[in-house]
Amino acid sequence: MAYFPEQLRTVVRSSFFAPNAGIQNGVYLAAAVKPAVKVPVLVTGGLGDPVLANAVIAEGKADLVGIGRALLADPEWARKAKAALG
C-alpha cells in the first residue's frame, strides 16, 4: 500500500464515495493531490471524451487519465480518440 499523509488519504478516498458528483469531482481531487506527492497522479471516472481527457493532462491536473467504460463500450475508442485529437 502506498504511503499518503493522513490528510491526503482522506481526499483520495472521498472520490470513491461521490459517484454522482460529476466529472469534475475526480479531476479537482487529482489536481489537489498532484502538487503534494512525488508520484504520477491518475484520474478516472467519466472521462471517456478524448478532448476532455486530453485537456486534463494538458492543463496539468493529472499525469494520467484512466479510461474504462468508454473502452468497454467501444473497442475502437483509442483509434477514434487519436483521430479526434489529430
Side-chain angles (χ1 to χ4, degrees):
M1 178 172 195
Y3 169 76
F4 290 105
E6 189 58 41
Q7 58 273 45
L8 290 180
R9 198 173 302 152
T10 302
V11 170
V12 172
R13 286 184 182 159
S14 70
S15 67
F16 295 107
F17 296 109
N20 298 320
I23 293 169
Q24 295 302 315
N25 182 48
V27 174
Y28 93 85
L29 290 171
V33 169
K34 193 171 184 281
V37 298
K38 295 180 181 180
V39 296
V41 174
L42 181 141
V43 64
T44 188
L47 296 168
D49 175 14
V51 174
L52 177 60
N54 191 56
V56 168
I57 294 172
E59 293 170 8
K61 295 178 180 177
D63 299 302
L64 303 160
V65 173
I67 307 295
R69 289 185 187 119
L71 286 169
L72 290 172
D74 183 3
E76 296 294 317
W77 186 91
R79 182 183 59 75
K80 292 175 183 177
K82 182 179 177 183
L85 295 172

